[in-house]
Amino acid sequence: MPSSISKVQCRKLRALLAKGRIVSFYSYLADHGYYYACWAAGDVDSADAGLRGGSVPGLSQETALRLTETELVKIREAMASAYLSALEAQLTQGDPITRDVTAEETAAFHGDVFRSHFLGLKDWTLYQPFEQQEKAGGIEAVERYWQTVLRTSAQLSARALARSAALLQAA
C-alpha cells in the first residue's frame, strides 16, 4: 500500500513538474509506493537517456517514432500532470491521497492526453489488453489485469535498481 500524499506534498510535486523535473516527480511517487510512477519512470528515464520509443508512459513505440522530440516532451509533461490530477481527485476535505490510479482512471487520463495531442487510444500500449480483458471478464477483469501490470512494473523497477547499485559497488 502506498504512503499517503498530502495537499502540501501535491503542491511540491506540481512545482517539480513546473520545473520540468519529471523523473524526480515519478521517482518521488515510486519511492512512496505508487506503482504507476514505477512504470512511468522507466519510460521517462529511457527518454532522458536519449532513447526514443517508449519515452511516454504507455505510448506505443511505433507512434513515438513518428513524433518529434518536442512533441514527445510535451506529451510526457502532459501525462505526468494528468497522472497527478488523477491522484489529486482523491483529495477531499483534507483527506490525503492513499491509493494509486485505477484502470478506469488510467484509461481516462491517457485518453485525454492522447486526444489533446491528436493521438488515439489505439496508440496506447494498453488499449488492446484492456479491451480484451473487458470482453473476457468485464471491468473487474480489467482492474485485476491493471493491478498485475502495476505490481510487475514495480518489481522490475526494484530489481533494476538493485542491479544498478550492485554494479556501482563492484566498480
Side-chain angles (χ1 to χ4, degrees):
M1 178 148 190
S3 302
S4 63
I5 303 288
S6 69
K7 286 182 183 180
V8 171
Q9 289 167 301
C10 282
R11 282 194 293 273
K12 290 178 181 177
L13 289 167
R14 281 271 170 221
L16 284 175
L17 293 178
K19 294 175 185 173
R21 296 185 54 205
I22 296 171
V23 172
S24 297
F25 163 78
Y26 283 130
S27 295
Y28 179 88
L29 288 168
D31 290 346
H32 285 80
Y34 289 82
Y35 292 163
Y36 178 90
C38 293
W39 179 55
D43 286 342
V44 171
D45 275 343
S46 72
D48 285 350
L51 303 174
R52 289 193 49 91
S55 58
V56 173
L59 184 65
S60 73
Q61 185 172 11
E62 180 182 303
T63 301
L65 291 172
R66 290 192 327 250
L67 300 172
T68 67
E69 188 58 35
T70 301
E71 291 169 316
L72 289 170
V73 167
K74 288 179 183 178
I75 296 169
R76 203 176 300 130
E77 290 169 348
M79 194 67 69
S81 181
Y83 172 50
L84 184 54
S85 292
L87 290 173
E88 287 173 330
Q90 296 176 53
L91 294 171
T92 56
Q93 302 171 1
D95 293 336
I97 296 166
T98 58
R99 65 167 177 80
D100 212 337
V101 288
T102 65
E104 186 176 356
E105 292 164 339
T106 303
F109 76 78
H110 277 79
D112 290 345
V113 170
F114 283 13
R115 276 188 298 280
S116 71
H117 289 88
F118 306 102
L119 300 171
L121 277 180
K122 291 188 179 185
D123 294 307
W124 186 33
T125 56
L126 290 172
Y127 174 76
Q128 274 191 317
F130 273 26
E131 186 177 58
Q132 290 171 347
Q133 291 297 321
E134 187 173 0
K135 285 178 184 176
I139 297 298
E140 297 82 17
V142 175
E143 187 61 39
R144 282 191 305 274
Y145 172 78
W146 177 235
Q147 292 306 316
T148 300
V149 168
L150 290 178
R151 280 191 304 278
T152 301
S153 154
Q155 291 166 350
L156 291 173
S157 294
R159 285 188 201 121
L161 286 173
R163 277 195 300 272
S164 295
L167 288 172
L168 285 173
Q169 287 180 343

Short mmCIF file of all heavy atoms in Angstrom, two decimals, residues 59-118:
data_model
loop_
_atom_site.label_atom_id
_atom_site.label_comp_id
_atom_site.label_asym_id
_atom_site.label_seq_id
_atom_site.Cartn_x
_atom_site.Cartn_y
_atom_site.Cartn_z
N LEU A 59 2.81 4.94 -24.44
CA LEU A 59 2.77 5.29 -25.86
C LEU A 59 3.47 4.20 -26.65
O LEU A 59 4.60 3.82 -26.33
CB LEU A 59 3.44 6.64 -26.11
CG LEU A 59 3.39 7.17 -27.55
CD1 LEU A 59 1.95 7.47 -27.96
CD2 LEU A 59 4.24 8.43 -27.66
N SER A 60 2.81 3.71 -27.70
CA SER A 60 3.43 2.65 -28.49
C SER A 60 4.71 3.16 -29.15
O SER A 60 4.82 4.33 -29.50
CB SER A 60 2.46 2.14 -29.56
OG SER A 60 2.31 3.09 -30.59
N GLN A 61 5.65 2.27 -29.33
CA GLN A 61 6.93 2.64 -29.92
C GLN A 61 6.73 3.12 -31.35
O GLN A 61 7.36 4.08 -31.79
CB GLN A 61 7.90 1.46 -29.87
CG GLN A 61 9.28 1.83 -30.36
CD GLN A 61 10.28 0.72 -30.12
OE1 GLN A 61 9.92 -0.39 -29.78
NE2 GLN A 61 11.53 1.03 -30.30
N GLU A 62 5.84 2.47 -32.07
CA GLU A 62 5.55 2.87 -33.45
C GLU A 62 5.09 4.32 -33.52
O GLU A 62 5.54 5.09 -34.36
CB GLU A 62 4.49 1.94 -34.04
CG GLU A 62 4.11 2.26 -35.47
CD GLU A 62 3.02 1.32 -35.95
OE1 GLU A 62 3.23 0.09 -35.91
OE2 GLU A 62 1.96 1.83 -36.36
N THR A 63 4.20 4.69 -32.62
CA THR A 63 3.71 6.08 -32.60
C THR A 63 4.81 7.03 -32.18
O THR A 63 4.98 8.10 -32.78
CB THR A 63 2.50 6.20 -31.64
OG1 THR A 63 1.47 5.32 -32.09
CG2 THR A 63 1.97 7.61 -31.59
N ALA A 64 5.57 6.66 -31.17
CA ALA A 64 6.65 7.53 -30.68
C ALA A 64 7.66 7.84 -31.77
O ALA A 64 8.17 8.96 -31.85
CB ALA A 64 7.33 6.89 -29.48
N LEU A 65 7.93 6.87 -32.61
CA LEU A 65 8.91 7.08 -33.69
C LEU A 65 8.42 8.07 -34.74
O LEU A 65 9.23 8.66 -35.45
CB LEU A 65 9.28 5.74 -34.34
CG LEU A 65 10.09 4.80 -33.45
CD1 LEU A 65 10.24 3.43 -34.10
CD2 LEU A 65 11.43 5.40 -33.10
N ARG A 66 7.09 8.26 -34.83
CA ARG A 66 6.52 9.22 -35.79
C ARG A 66 6.54 10.65 -35.27
O ARG A 66 6.31 11.59 -36.02
CB ARG A 66 5.06 8.86 -36.10
CG ARG A 66 4.85 7.63 -36.90
CD ARG A 66 3.42 7.52 -37.41
NE ARG A 66 2.41 8.07 -36.55
CZ ARG A 66 1.51 7.37 -35.86
NH1 ARG A 66 1.50 6.06 -35.93
NH2 ARG A 66 0.61 7.97 -35.11
N LEU A 67 6.76 10.82 -33.97
CA LEU A 67 6.67 12.13 -33.34
C LEU A 67 8.05 12.78 -33.21
O LEU A 67 9.06 12.08 -33.09
CB LEU A 67 6.02 12.00 -31.97
CG LEU A 67 4.60 11.42 -31.97
CD1 LEU A 67 4.14 11.16 -30.54
CD2 LEU A 67 3.64 12.35 -32.69
N THR A 68 8.05 14.10 -33.17
CA THR A 68 9.31 14.81 -32.95
C THR A 68 9.64 14.76 -31.45
O THR A 68 8.77 14.50 -30.61
CB THR A 68 9.21 16.28 -33.38
OG1 THR A 68 8.29 16.95 -32.51
CG2 THR A 68 8.78 16.41 -34.82
N GLU A 69 10.88 15.06 -31.13
CA GLU A 69 11.28 15.09 -29.72
C GLU A 69 10.50 16.15 -28.96
O GLU A 69 10.11 15.94 -27.81
CB GLU A 69 12.79 15.33 -29.59
CG GLU A 69 13.30 15.17 -28.18
CD GLU A 69 13.03 13.81 -27.55
OE1 GLU A 69 13.06 12.79 -28.27
OE2 GLU A 69 12.77 13.76 -26.33
N THR A 70 10.23 17.27 -29.60
CA THR A 70 9.44 18.34 -28.97
C THR A 70 8.03 17.85 -28.63
O THR A 70 7.52 18.12 -27.54
CB THR A 70 9.37 19.58 -29.90
OG1 THR A 70 10.70 20.02 -30.15
CG2 THR A 70 8.56 20.70 -29.28
N GLU A 71 7.42 17.12 -29.55
CA GLU A 71 6.08 16.58 -29.30
C GLU A 71 6.11 15.57 -28.15
O GLU A 71 5.23 15.57 -27.28
CB GLU A 71 5.52 15.91 -30.56
CG GLU A 71 5.19 16.89 -31.67
CD GLU A 71 4.89 16.20 -32.98
OE1 GLU A 71 5.62 15.26 -33.36
OE2 GLU A 71 3.92 16.61 -33.65
N LEU A 72 7.13 14.74 -28.13
CA LEU A 72 7.26 13.74 -27.06
C LEU A 72 7.41 14.41 -25.70
O LEU A 72 6.82 13.98 -24.72
CB LEU A 72 8.43 12.80 -27.34
CG LEU A 72 8.24 11.82 -28.49
CD1 LEU A 72 9.56 11.12 -28.82
CD2 LEU A 72 7.16 10.80 -28.17
N VAL A 73 8.20 15.48 -25.65
CA VAL A 73 8.39 16.20 -24.39
C VAL A 73 7.05 16.76 -23.91
O VAL A 73 6.70 16.64 -22.73
CB VAL A 73 9.45 17.31 -24.54
CG1 VAL A 73 9.43 18.26 -23.34
CG2 VAL A 73 10.83 16.70 -24.72
N LYS A 74 6.31 17.37 -24.80
CA LYS A 74 5.01 17.94 -24.43
C LYS A 74 4.04 16.88 -23.93
O LYS A 74 3.33 17.07 -22.94
CB LYS A 74 4.40 18.70 -25.61
CG LYS A 74 5.10 20.00 -25.91
CD LYS A 74 4.49 20.70 -27.10
CE LYS A 74 5.26 21.97 -27.42
NZ LYS A 74 4.73 22.65 -28.60
N ILE A 75 4.01 15.74 -24.61
CA ILE A 75 3.12 14.65 -24.19
C ILE A 75 3.58 14.09 -22.85
O ILE A 75 2.76 13.82 -21.97
CB ILE A 75 3.06 13.55 -25.27
CG1 ILE A 75 2.45 14.11 -26.56
CG2 ILE A 75 2.25 12.35 -24.78
CD1 ILE A 75 2.59 13.20 -27.77
N ARG A 76 4.89 13.94 -22.68
CA ARG A 76 5.44 13.44 -21.42
C ARG A 76 5.04 14.35 -20.26
O ARG A 76 4.62 13.88 -19.20
CB ARG A 76 6.97 13.38 -21.55
CG ARG A 76 7.67 12.44 -20.64
CD ARG A 76 9.17 12.40 -20.93
NE ARG A 76 9.44 11.97 -22.29
CZ ARG A 76 10.25 12.61 -23.14
NH1 ARG A 76 10.90 13.69 -22.78
NH2 ARG A 76 10.43 12.15 -24.35
N GLU A 77 5.15 15.65 -20.46
CA GLU A 77 4.77 16.61 -19.43
C GLU A 77 3.27 16.55 -19.14
O GLU A 77 2.85 16.57 -17.98
CB GLU A 77 5.18 18.02 -19.86
CG GLU A 77 6.67 18.25 -19.87
CD GLU A 77 7.11 19.55 -20.53
OE1 GLU A 77 6.27 20.21 -21.20
OE2 GLU A 77 8.29 19.90 -20.39
N ALA A 78 2.48 16.48 -20.20
CA ALA A 78 1.03 16.42 -20.03
C ALA A 78 0.61 15.14 -19.31
O ALA A 78 -0.30 15.15 -18.47
CB ALA A 78 0.34 16.51 -21.39
N MET A 79 1.29 14.05 -19.60
CA MET A 79 0.96 12.77 -18.96
C MET A 79 1.27 12.82 -17.47
O MET A 79 0.46 12.36 -16.65
CB MET A 79 1.75 11.64 -19.63
CG MET A 79 1.23 10.26 -19.28
SD MET A 79 -0.41 9.93 -19.95
CE MET A 79 -0.04 9.83 -21.68
N ALA A 80 2.40 13.38 -17.10
CA ALA A 80 2.74 13.48 -15.68
C ALA A 80 1.74 14.37 -14.94
O ALA A 80 1.28 14.03 -13.85
CB ALA A 80 4.16 14.02 -15.51
N SER A 81 1.38 15.47 -15.56
CA SER A 81 0.40 16.38 -14.95
C SER A 81 -0.97 15.71 -14.82
O SER A 81 -1.65 15.85 -13.80
CB SER A 81 0.30 17.66 -15.78
OG SER A 81 -0.63 18.53 -15.20
N ALA A 82 -1.37 14.97 -15.84
CA ALA A 82 -2.66 14.28 -15.81
C ALA A 82 -2.67 13.19 -14.74
O ALA A 82 -3.69 12.98 -14.06
CB ALA A 82 -2.97 13.69 -17.18
N TYR A 83 -1.55 12.49 -14.59
CA TYR A 83 -1.45 11.47 -13.53
C TYR A 83 -1.62 12.12 -12.17
O TYR A 83 -2.40 11.64 -11.33
CB TYR A 83 -0.10 10.75 -13.65
CG TYR A 83 0.22 9.80 -12.52
CD1 TYR A 83 -0.69 8.84 -12.08
CD2 TYR A 83 1.46 9.84 -11.89
CE1 TYR A 83 -0.38 7.96 -11.05
CE2 TYR A 83 1.79 8.97 -10.87
CZ TYR A 83 0.86 8.03 -10.46
OH TYR A 83 1.18 7.15 -9.43
N LEU A 84 -0.92 13.23 -11.95
CA LEU A 84 -1.05 13.91 -10.66
C LEU A 84 -2.49 14.40 -10.45
O LEU A 84 -3.02 14.27 -9.35
CB LEU A 84 -0.06 15.07 -10.55
CG LEU A 84 -0.05 15.80 -9.21
CD1 LEU A 84 0.17 14.85 -8.03
CD2 LEU A 84 1.02 16.89 -9.21
N SER A 85 -3.11 14.91 -11.48
CA SER A 85 -4.51 15.35 -11.36
C SER A 85 -5.42 14.18 -10.98
O SER A 85 -6.34 14.33 -10.16
CB SER A 85 -5.00 15.98 -12.66
OG SER A 85 -4.33 17.19 -12.89
N ALA A 86 -5.18 13.02 -11.57
CA ALA A 86 -5.98 11.84 -11.24
C ALA A 86 -5.78 11.46 -9.77
O ALA A 86 -6.74 11.10 -9.08
CB ALA A 86 -5.61 10.67 -12.15
N LEU A 87 -4.56 11.56 -9.29
CA LEU A 87 -4.30 11.29 -7.87
C LEU A 87 -4.97 12.34 -6.99
O LEU A 87 -5.58 12.02 -5.97
CB LEU A 87 -2.80 11.24 -7.59
CG LEU A 87 -2.03 10.05 -8.14
CD1 LEU A 87 -0.53 10.24 -7.92
CD2 LEU A 87 -2.50 8.74 -7.53
N GLU A 88 -4.85 13.60 -7.39
CA GLU A 88 -5.41 14.70 -6.60
C GLU A 88 -6.92 14.63 -6.47
O GLU A 88 -7.49 15.20 -5.53
CB GLU A 88 -5.01 16.05 -7.21
CG GLU A 88 -3.55 16.39 -6.99
CD GLU A 88 -3.12 17.63 -7.74
OE1 GLU A 88 -3.68 17.94 -8.82
OE2 GLU A 88 -2.20 18.30 -7.25
N ALA A 89 -7.58 13.93 -7.37
CA ALA A 89 -9.04 13.77 -7.27
C ALA A 89 -9.43 13.09 -5.96
O ALA A 89 -10.57 13.20 -5.51
CB ALA A 89 -9.56 12.98 -8.47
N GLN A 90 -8.48 12.40 -5.34
CA GLN A 90 -8.74 11.75 -4.05
C GLN A 90 -8.73 12.74 -2.88
O GLN A 90 -9.21 12.41 -1.80
CB GLN A 90 -7.68 10.69 -3.77
CG GLN A 90 -7.67 9.54 -4.74
CD GLN A 90 -6.53 8.59 -4.43
OE1 GLN A 90 -6.38 8.12 -3.31
NE2 GLN A 90 -5.72 8.31 -5.44
N LEU A 91 -8.17 13.91 -3.10
CA LEU A 91 -8.07 14.90 -2.03
C LEU A 91 -9.46 15.50 -1.77
O LEU A 91 -9.95 16.29 -2.56
CB LEU A 91 -7.09 16.02 -2.39
CG LEU A 91 -5.64 15.62 -2.53
CD1 LEU A 91 -4.83 16.77 -3.10
CD2 LEU A 91 -5.06 15.16 -1.21
N THR A 92 -10.07 15.06 -0.71
CA THR A 92 -11.39 15.59 -0.36
C THR A 92 -11.39 15.99 1.10
O THR A 92 -10.94 15.24 1.97
CB THR A 92 -12.50 14.55 -0.59
OG1 THR A 92 -12.20 13.37 0.14
CG2 THR A 92 -12.63 14.21 -2.08
N GLN A 93 -11.83 17.19 1.35
CA GLN A 93 -11.99 17.68 2.72
C GLN A 93 -10.77 17.38 3.59
O GLN A 93 -10.89 16.93 4.73
CB GLN A 93 -13.26 17.12 3.34
CG GLN A 93 -14.49 17.49 2.55
CD GLN A 93 -15.73 16.77 3.01
OE1 GLN A 93 -15.69 16.00 3.96
NE2 GLN A 93 -16.83 17.03 2.35
N GLY A 94 -9.59 17.60 3.03
CA GLY A 94 -8.37 17.44 3.80
C GLY A 94 -7.82 16.03 3.84
O GLY A 94 -6.76 15.80 4.40
N ASP A 95 -8.54 15.07 3.24
CA ASP A 95 -8.04 13.69 3.22
C ASP A 95 -6.86 13.58 2.26
O ASP A 95 -6.86 14.18 1.19
CB ASP A 95 -9.15 12.73 2.77
CG ASP A 95 -10.28 12.63 3.78
OD1 ASP A 95 -10.04 12.91 4.97
OD2 ASP A 95 -11.40 12.26 3.38
N PRO A 96 -5.85 12.80 2.63
CA PRO A 96 -4.69 12.63 1.74
C PRO A 96 -4.97 11.62 0.63
O PRO A 96 -5.98 10.91 0.66
CB PRO A 96 -3.61 12.11 2.69
CG PRO A 96 -4.38 11.36 3.72
CD PRO A 96 -5.68 12.12 3.90
N ILE A 97 -4.07 11.55 -0.31
CA ILE A 97 -4.11 10.52 -1.36
C ILE A 97 -3.61 9.24 -0.71
O ILE A 97 -2.57 9.23 -0.05
CB ILE A 97 -3.20 10.93 -2.53
CG1 ILE A 97 -3.73 12.20 -3.19
CG2 ILE A 97 -3.07 9.80 -3.54
CD1 ILE A 97 -2.75 12.86 -4.13
N THR A 98 -4.34 8.15 -0.91
CA THR A 98 -3.96 6.90 -0.25
C THR A 98 -3.86 5.70 -1.19
O THR A 98 -3.55 4.60 -0.73
CB THR A 98 -4.97 6.55 0.86
OG1 THR A 98 -6.27 6.46 0.28
CG2 THR A 98 -4.95 7.60 1.97
N ARG A 99 -4.15 5.91 -2.48
CA ARG A 99 -4.08 4.78 -3.41
C ARG A 99 -3.61 5.27 -4.76
O ARG A 99 -3.67 6.44 -5.08
CB ARG A 99 -5.43 4.09 -3.54
CG ARG A 99 -6.49 4.98 -4.16
CD ARG A 99 -7.75 4.25 -4.60
NE ARG A 99 -8.72 5.18 -5.10
CZ ARG A 99 -8.71 5.71 -6.32
NH1 ARG A 99 -7.75 5.38 -7.16
NH2 ARG A 99 -9.64 6.56 -6.71
N ASP A 100 -3.14 4.33 -5.55
CA ASP A 100 -2.71 4.65 -6.90
C ASP A 100 -3.92 4.70 -7.82
O ASP A 100 -5.05 4.45 -7.41
CB ASP A 100 -1.72 3.59 -7.38
CG ASP A 100 -0.67 4.14 -8.34
OD1 ASP A 100 -0.92 5.19 -8.98
OD2 ASP A 100 0.40 3.52 -8.47
N VAL A 101 -3.70 5.01 -9.08
CA VAL A 101 -4.78 5.13 -10.04
C VAL A 101 -5.35 3.77 -10.42
O VAL A 101 -4.63 2.78 -10.50
CB VAL A 101 -4.33 5.88 -11.32
CG1 VAL A 101 -4.11 7.35 -11.03
CG2 VAL A 101 -3.07 5.27 -11.91
N THR A 102 -6.66 3.75 -10.64
CA THR A 102 -7.34 2.54 -11.10
C THR A 102 -7.19 2.42 -12.61
O THR A 102 -6.75 3.37 -13.29
CB THR A 102 -8.84 2.61 -10.76
OG1 THR A 102 -9.43 3.70 -11.51
CG2 THR A 102 -9.09 2.79 -9.27
N ALA A 103 -7.59 1.29 -13.15
CA ALA A 103 -7.56 1.10 -14.60
C ALA A 103 -8.43 2.14 -15.29
O ALA A 103 -8.04 2.72 -16.31
CB ALA A 103 -8.04 -0.31 -14.95
N GLU A 104 -9.60 2.40 -14.75
CA GLU A 104 -10.52 3.37 -15.35
C GLU A 104 -9.92 4.78 -15.34
O GLU A 104 -9.98 5.50 -16.34
CB GLU A 104 -11.85 3.36 -14.59
CG GLU A 104 -12.91 4.23 -15.21
CD GLU A 104 -14.24 4.12 -14.50
OE1 GLU A 104 -14.39 3.30 -13.56
OE2 GLU A 104 -15.15 4.86 -14.89
N GLU A 105 -9.33 5.17 -14.22
CA GLU A 105 -8.69 6.49 -14.14
C GLU A 105 -7.52 6.59 -15.11
O GLU A 105 -7.32 7.62 -15.77
CB GLU A 105 -8.20 6.76 -12.71
CG GLU A 105 -9.32 6.94 -11.72
CD GLU A 105 -8.87 6.82 -10.26
OE1 GLU A 105 -7.81 6.22 -9.98
OE2 GLU A 105 -9.61 7.33 -9.41
N THR A 106 -6.75 5.52 -15.21
CA THR A 106 -5.60 5.48 -16.10
C THR A 106 -6.04 5.62 -17.56
O THR A 106 -5.47 6.41 -18.31
CB THR A 106 -4.80 4.18 -15.90
OG1 THR A 106 -4.42 4.09 -14.53
CG2 THR A 106 -3.56 4.14 -16.78
N ALA A 107 -7.06 4.86 -17.93
CA ALA A 107 -7.58 4.95 -19.30
C ALA A 107 -8.10 6.36 -19.59
O ALA A 107 -7.87 6.90 -20.68
CB ALA A 107 -8.67 3.91 -19.51
N ALA A 108 -8.75 6.96 -18.61
CA ALA A 108 -9.32 8.29 -18.81
C ALA A 108 -8.22 9.33 -19.05
O ALA A 108 -8.30 10.11 -20.01
CB ALA A 108 -10.18 8.69 -17.61
N PHE A 109 -7.20 9.35 -18.21
CA PHE A 109 -6.21 10.41 -18.41
C PHE A 109 -5.30 10.14 -19.60
O PHE A 109 -4.87 11.07 -20.28
CB PHE A 109 -5.46 10.82 -17.13
CG PHE A 109 -4.39 9.90 -16.61
CD1 PHE A 109 -3.14 9.86 -17.18
CD2 PHE A 109 -4.62 9.13 -15.48
CE1 PHE A 109 -2.13 9.06 -16.65
CE2 PHE A 109 -3.63 8.33 -14.95
CZ PHE A 109 -2.38 8.29 -15.55
N HIS A 110 -5.02 8.87 -19.91
CA HIS A 110 -4.26 8.59 -21.13
C HIS A 110 -5.08 9.03 -22.35
O HIS A 110 -4.54 9.65 -23.26
CB HIS A 110 -3.91 7.10 -21.23
CG HIS A 110 -2.69 6.72 -20.46
ND1 HIS A 110 -2.69 6.52 -19.11
CD2 HIS A 110 -1.42 6.53 -20.87
CE1 HIS A 110 -1.48 6.21 -18.71
NE2 HIS A 110 -0.68 6.22 -19.75
N GLY A 111 -6.35 8.70 -22.35
CA GLY A 111 -7.21 9.10 -23.46
C GLY A 111 -7.26 10.61 -23.63
O GLY A 111 -7.15 11.13 -24.75
N ASP A 112 -7.41 11.33 -22.51
CA ASP A 112 -7.45 12.80 -22.57
C ASP A 112 -6.15 13.37 -23.14
O ASP A 112 -6.18 14.24 -24.01
CB ASP A 112 -7.71 13.39 -21.18
CG ASP A 112 -9.11 13.13 -20.67
OD1 ASP A 112 -10.00 12.75 -21.47
OD2 ASP A 112 -9.32 13.32 -19.44
N VAL A 113 -5.03 12.90 -22.64
CA VAL A 113 -3.73 13.42 -23.09
C VAL A 113 -3.51 13.06 -24.56
O VAL A 113 -3.11 13.91 -25.37
CB VAL A 113 -2.57 12.92 -22.21
CG1 VAL A 113 -1.22 13.27 -22.83
CG2 VAL A 113 -2.67 13.51 -20.81
N PHE A 114 -3.79 11.83 -24.91
CA PHE A 114 -3.57 11.42 -26.30
C PHE A 114 -4.46 12.22 -27.25
O PHE A 114 -3.99 12.70 -28.28
CB PHE A 114 -3.81 9.92 -26.46
CG PHE A 114 -2.67 9.06 -25.95
CD1 PHE A 114 -1.65 9.56 -25.16
CD2 PHE A 114 -2.63 7.72 -26.26
CE1 PHE A 114 -0.61 8.76 -24.70
CE2 PHE A 114 -1.60 6.90 -25.82
CZ PHE A 114 -0.59 7.42 -25.04
N ARG A 115 -5.74 12.39 -26.92
CA ARG A 115 -6.64 13.16 -27.79
C ARG A 115 -6.17 14.61 -27.92
O ARG A 115 -6.21 15.17 -29.00
CB ARG A 115 -8.07 13.11 -27.26
CG ARG A 115 -8.84 11.88 -27.70
CD ARG A 115 -10.31 11.97 -27.32
NE ARG A 115 -10.53 12.04 -25.89
CZ ARG A 115 -10.52 11.00 -25.06
NH1 ARG A 115 -10.29 9.79 -25.52
NH2 ARG A 115 -10.73 11.15 -23.77
N SER A 116 -5.70 15.18 -26.82
CA SER A 116 -5.27 16.58 -26.88
C SER A 116 -4.00 16.75 -27.72
O SER A 116 -3.65 17.86 -28.10
CB SER A 116 -5.07 17.15 -25.47
OG SER A 116 -3.93 16.59 -24.86
N HIS A 117 -3.32 15.65 -28.01
CA HIS A 117 -2.12 15.68 -28.85
C HIS A 117 -2.37 14.95 -30.18
O HIS A 117 -1.43 14.49 -30.83
CB HIS A 117 -0.92 15.09 -28.10
CG HIS A 117 -0.46 15.99 -27.00
ND1 HIS A 117 -0.97 15.92 -25.73
CD2 HIS A 117 0.43 17.01 -26.99
CE1 HIS A 117 -0.40 16.85 -24.98
NE2 HIS A 117 0.45 17.52 -25.72
N PHE A 118 -3.64 14.84 -30.54
CA PHE A 118 -4.06 14.28 -31.83
C PHE A 118 -3.63 12.82 -32.01
O PHE A 118 -3.28 12.40 -33.11
CB PHE A 118 -3.58 15.16 -32.99
CG PHE A 118 -4.01 16.59 -32.83
CD1 PHE A 118 -3.11 17.55 -32.39
CD2 PHE A 118 -5.33 16.95 -33.06
CE1 PHE A 118 -3.52 18.87 -32.21
CE2 PHE A 118 -5.74 18.26 -32.87
CZ PHE A 118 -4.84 19.22 -32.45
#
